[in-house]
Amino acid sequence: CSFCNSNIMGAGRPMRYRSPANVATEVRDLKRRYGVRHFRVQDDIFTITKKRVAELTPALAAEDIVYRCFARLN
């Protein structure tokens, strides 16, 4: 769509997802090292895979992490 960076950032390259466990580990580390508790996810396709989001969000909640992401609902 005209609102995202996917066509600029991807430039025709295949997409590679990080696992929810990998993301949760990085967030946990940022919280431990720097005290960061609020995140804004800058990912145009964060919600494209419902299973991935369903696995990641409880891990973030368990760490008392507040996050915000933007997504199209259609």
Side-chain angles (χ1 to χ4, degrees):
C1 75
S2 60
F3 297 103
C4 67
N5 290 330
S6 295
N7 59 347
I8 296 168
M9 299 299 289
R13 292 179 295 223
M15 215 173 353
R16 190 173 60 115
Y17 294 98
R18 292 176 56 199
S19 72
N22 181 268
V23 174
T25 298
E26 182 175 356
V27 167
R28 189 178 308 116
D29 187 51
L30 290 169
K31 179 184 173 186
R32 182 183 57 81
R33 284 184 187 203
Y34 305 109
V36 177
R37 290 190 49 249
H38 296 82
F39 289 86
R40 183 173 68 188
V41 179
Q42 288 294 119
D43 183 352
D44 297 331
I45 57 170
F46 178 73
T47 59
I48 201 165
T49 306
K50 291 179 185 178
K51 181 182 178 210
R52 184 172 173 264
V53 174
E55 291 174 8
L56 179 58
T57 52
L60 296 177
E63 292 292 327
D64 194 28
I65 297 295
V66 176
Y67 71 95
R68 176 183 294 175
C69 72
F70 297 99
R72 291 181 60 160
L73 298 178
N74 61 352

